[in-house]
Amino acid sequence: ELGVSISEMAGRLELARSIVRSGRSVCVLTGAGISTDSGVPDYRSPGRPQVKSVQYNEFTRYHAHRQRYWARSMQGYDFLHGSAPNDGHKAVATGQRKGAVASLLTQNVDGLHQKAGSSEVVELHGSIHEVVCLDCGNVTKRSDLQTILKAMNADFIKAAEEQSGASAALLGRLARPDGDSIIEVDYSGFLYPPCAPCGGLLKPHVVFFGENLPKERAALSVDLVENADVLVVAGTSLTVWSAFRLVRRAAERGTEIVVVTRGPTRADDIIKPELRFSESATDVLNELFTSE
């Protein structure tokens, strides 16, 4: 941070570390910023292109919107599926194993906390690695659907490469945090399958914009935050209400809150400045949970 001396930063880190280590019950809440060191782009970093997010009503109502989503998802999913956890994810997993982290909530759908060894991860917005049928509720693996999508759309894949001038691998690296790839081509010929058991409508098992969190998951997240005496927030601007309300609730209860996020957050006016870090989430999480 500009204007912060090395000695002051060291003092603030030591303060945060002592608060975390003396906590009876530490809850960690993470967002897309924790996965950027794994090569997964976030939504709001400077320089990121502004892309219209998928809206639930559009996806469920319009065939053309589903074609666009599944086409872009097919291009981006392999990259996201192959991403590896970074030292920030591993630090949180270490904290869990040592008993320093009592609960873990994430806005991310990438599954990297689980890959790092974390258990009992509450995925607020679901998992990109699952697909759900909106008619019968059947849940299947996204990787299985990926195989089907590629087989159904060999001609589309070739045409997309020709239209965009980029290879499938490069298009995949344009993935967003939800696996959607930033490509604009003609989607009108894209094919996607119905639910195998019932013929119903398939949807990624994530919470789209305009869609409510499942009530049980929302209630569990509130309970975990209310049972914590320390809340560590990493890699999220807290723009989304489902996450901001948790931090606001913690602040109302007098919970100690440590925030580690590049750029401004929605909660900056309700947290202590000395516990607000704009450094790398990976670096600060390592300081909090792995350094002796």
Side-chain angles (χ1 to χ4, degrees):
E1 295 174 14
L2 294 176
V4 178
S5 67
I6 293 176
S7 60
E8 181 183 348
M9 180 56 60
R12 289 171 55 197
L13 278 171
E14 183 54 40
L15 172 62
R17 193 160 45 225
S18 66
I19 288 172
V20 167
R21 293 183 178 181
S22 63
R24 171 187 53 79
S25 178
V26 177
C27 177
V28 175
L29 168 64
T30 66
I34 194 179
S35 293
T36 55
D37 285 348
S38 293
V40 179
D42 61 10
Y43 290 101
R44 298 180 176 88
S45 285
R48 287 289 295 161
Q50 295 298 309
V51 181
K52 186 176 185 294
S53 298
V54 180
Q55 302 290 318
Y56 178 77
N57 287 339
E58 293 175 345
F59 182 89
T60 55
R61 289 179 183 176
Y62 303 115
H63 170 63
H65 282 272
R66 292 193 292 275
Q67 285 181 302
R68 181 178 183 272
Y69 173 80
W70 285 122
R72 290 160 57 111
S73 176
M74 182 188 71
Q75 297 286 7
Y77 181 71
D78 286 341
F79 175 77
L80 196 60
H81 184 63
S83 299
N86 60 56
D87 287 345
H89 298 107
K90 294 173 184 176
V92 175
T94 297
Q96 281 190 305
R97 286 195 299 273
K98 292 164 58 176
V101 175
S103 56
L104 171 57
L105 311 172
T106 186
Q107 295 174 264
N108 300 342
V109 299
D110 55 31
L112 291 178
H113 279 299
Q114 292 91 329
K115 279 189 178 181
S118 284
S119 58
E120 298 183 28
V121 183
V122 179
E123 296 175 301
L124 293 173
H125 299 153
S127 172
I128 198 62
H129 303 299
E130 294 179 344
V131 178
V132 63
C133 174
L134 295 180
D135 293 282
C136 72
N138 187 51
V139 176
T140 53
K141 293 180 180 179
R142 175 64 181 80
S143 56
D144 291 343
L145 178 62
Q146 184 75 345
T147 301
I148 296 170
L149 289 173
K150 287 181 177 180
M152 295 178 74
N153 293 282
D155 290 342
F156 172 86
I157 294 171
K158 182 178 179 180
E161 291 181 3
E162 292 174 350
Q163 289 179 49
S164 64
S167 67
L170 175 59
L171 291 173
R173 288 198 294 275
L174 297 174
R176 301 169 72 220
D178 55 6
D180 185 14
S181 184
I182 305 171
I183 58 170
E184 289 297 343
V185 295
D186 180 7
Y187 307 111
S188 60
F190 191 83
L191 303 173
Y192 57 88
C195 172
C198 81
L201 188 64
L202 295 179
K203 172 185 169 292
H205 209 185
V206 301
V207 178
F208 280 155
F209 283 87
E211 184 178 8
N212 293 324
L213 260 65
K215 289 183 179 180
E216 289 184 3
R217 194 182 307 161
L220 174 60
S221 66
V222 172
D223 287 344
L224 292 175
V225 168
E226 289 188 344
N227 286 327
D229 57 351
V230 178
L231 176 63
V232 177
V233 180
T236 172
S237 63
L238 301 171
T239 301
V240 178
W241 170 250
S242 58
F244 173 66
R245 73 187 184 108
L246 297 175
V247 177
R248 192 176 72 170
R249 181 62 178 147
E252 290 170 351
R253 294 174 61 83
T255 302
E256 292 282 13
I257 304 172
V258 179
V259 175
V260 188
T261 298
R262 295 189 186 278
T265 82
R266 191 175 177 180
D268 284 346
D269 61 342
I270 61 173
I271 57 176
K272 298 175 181 177
E274 62 269 26
L275 295 178
R276 172 69 169 91
F277 299 89
S278 294
E279 287 71 30
S280 158
T282 296
D283 292 343
V284 177
L285 290 172
N286 268 299
E287 288 288 336
L288 296 180
F289 297 121
T290 66
S291 62
E292 297 300 330

